Amino acid sequence: MSLVNFSGQNVVEFTITGFDHLPYHKLMGTVILLAYCLALLGSTTNICVISTDRRLHRPMYLLICNLALVDIMFSTGASTTMISVLLAGDKTISYHSCLSRVYIYHLGDITECLALSLMALDRTVAISEPLRYATILTNQRVFLLIVLSWLLGICLMGMLVSIADQLPYCQPVIKYIFCDYAAIIRAACVDPEPYWLLSSTGALWLLGGQFPLILLSYGKLVFTVLRLPSTEKGGRTFRTVISHFIPVVCYYAPKLVSVLLTRVGVTLNLTERNALLIISTLLPPLINPTVYCLQSKEIRGTVLRVLRRNLL
């Protein structure tokens, strides 16, 4: 068939084959389903608590609420496909459904990075400029920053999916575990190298741009905390910094491992790449709600009051 006359619209569905060579599909699917449900429960709890308690309508909690929403989208874009393949045994996904999940997954990925950057900015201002915090970061400004981060992600991911939608597909088989940009580009009947430019630029921006800025922000926070007197307040502030840095580590660690291994000449096989994909997709949405619920006295207190009312 001529590639000139064969376009992506001729592909009715893709087949996900990334799990075919792995044993214990049901067990793996159950673990992923459990992790996904816990992530949904934690993120939804944070959103409900923050949105219904007017005392929490403050910049830091608006950012936590935004991160929870991003976590739901990020995990949903990948987990639903993996659960369907492993537990329902349905390895096929329609062409347009696959593209939509590519969009959702990568939009969640980039907005997760931007959400973590905004939270680092919030804590930097709160600890470095405590007296000016309320005037520098108002609810309106934080809301505007959140909207801008979403608009940036929506535009960039729109370009990415538009590129994928214009490609010809001669083998509608995805050798990975869910629909993402790299997987469908490799399924196209083209040389994939020219199509990595936009995604590589985005990855470089996330790892080489946003990540160093976040590290510098938390480095400044640690330096500021170490200069404080050895008081209980200083200890609480340091614990806050550490708790906010945990989600950053969970998000960036799998990406950095993949990049660093590639740089030192280690070639990851398909199973190892898929394992990193699963970790990078499930770990942040699972850890983030727990960290912020336990770290925030207000959220923790509200959750405990609701539980007591319902259990007593």
Side-chain angles (χ1 to χ4, degrees):
M1 183 180 292
S2 172
L3 293 184
V4 175
N5 299 320
F6 189 72
S7 66
Q9 281 65 34
N10 297 123
V11 175
V12 177
E13 60 186 21
F14 288 106
T15 301
I16 309 290
T17 64
F19 290 112
D20 285 1
H21 62 292
L22 297 178
Y24 309 114
H25 285 191
K26 298 295 183 183
L27 177 60
M28 187 181 301
T30 302
V31 171
I32 293 174
L33 176 61
L34 179 60
Y36 178 57
C37 289
L38 289 174
L40 286 182
L41 177 62
S43 295
T44 303
T45 299
N46 279 350
I47 291 173
C48 291
V49 169
I50 294 170
S51 61
T52 56
D53 192 340
R54 295 185 62 84
R55 295 172 302 171
L56 301 182
H57 293 179
R58 306 200 302 269
M60 184 182 79
Y61 295 100
L62 293 179
L63 292 172
I64 291 176
C65 192
N66 175 58
L67 182 63
L69 182 61
V70 169
D71 282 336
I72 291 174
M73 181 175 63
F74 185 39
S75 58
T76 298
S79 297
T80 51
T81 302
M82 294 190 288
I83 292 168
S84 176
V85 171
L86 292 169
L87 293 183
D90 184 9
K91 298 194 296 183
T92 60
I93 182 171
S94 70
Y95 172 79
H96 292 291
S97 179
C98 186
L99 278 187
S100 66
R101 295 189 192 198
V102 171
Y103 185 87
I104 292 171
Y105 172 73
H106 287 292
L107 178 59
D109 194 11
I110 193 170
T111 48
E112 178 99 10
C113 170
L114 295 173
L116 293 173
S117 298
L118 290 178
M119 297 189 78
L121 171 65
D122 172 76
R123 290 300 85 197
T124 300
V125 176
I127 295 176
S128 302
E129 300 287 343
L131 299 180
R132 300 176 56 204
Y133 174 77
T135 57
I136 295 175
L137 285 181
T138 62
N139 283 354
Q140 291 78 9
R141 287 175 181 171
V142 167
F143 182 75
L144 178 61
L145 289 172
I146 291 173
V147 170
L148 289 175
S149 69
W150 278 84
L151 289 176
L152 178 60
I154 288 170
C155 292
L156 289 176
M157 293 311 106
M159 294 169 59
L160 211 65
V161 172
S162 176
I163 291 173
D165 190 35
Q166 296 174 23
L167 295 179
Y169 294 93
C170 52
Q171 291 187 358
V173 174
I174 292 179
K175 298 180 181 179
Y176 292 84
I177 50 180
F178 57 82
C179 294
D180 70 342
Y181 182 74
I184 61 173
I185 289 298
R186 289 191 171 96
C189 313
V190 294
D191 176 10
E193 291 303 322
Y195 298 94
W196 296 134
L197 178 60
L198 184 59
S199 61
S200 299
T201 303
L204 181 62
W205 172 53
L206 294 180
L207 295 177
Q210 293 295 307
F211 185 54
L213 287 177
I214 293 174
L215 287 181
L216 287 174
S217 297
Y218 284 108
K220 176 177 174 56
L221 293 183
V222 171
F223 179 73
T224 302
V225 171
L226 292 177
R227 293 176 59 191
L228 294 174
S230 299
T231 61
E232 183 181 351
K233 181 179 179 181
R236 287 200 306 270
T237 304
F238 189 76
R239 286 194 296 273
T240 300
V241 173
I242 295 299
S243 65
H244 276 254
F245 192 63
I246 290 173
V248 175
V249 173
C250 291
Y251 174 75
Y252 279 103
K255 300 178 184 297
L256 290 172
V257 167
S258 178
V259 171
L260 291 176
L261 288 178
T262 302
R263 289 299 179 188
V264 297
V266 176
T267 302
L268 298 176
N269 59 37
L270 187 60
T271 301
E272 292 165 342
R273 288 183 181 276
N274 287 339
L276 280 175
L277 272 176
I278 293 175
I279 293 171
S280 65
T281 302
L282 292 180
L283 188 60
L286 188 61
I287 296 298
N288 294 349
T290 306
V291 167
Y292 290 114
C293 183
L294 294 177
Q295 184 270 330
S296 171
K297 183 172 61 178
E298 290 86 352
I299 296 178
R300 187 172 64 249
T302 302
V303 172
L304 291 175
R305 284 195 299 273
V306 171
L307 290 176
R308 289 195 193 101
R309 275 203 307 268
N310 292 332
L311 294 176
L312 296 179

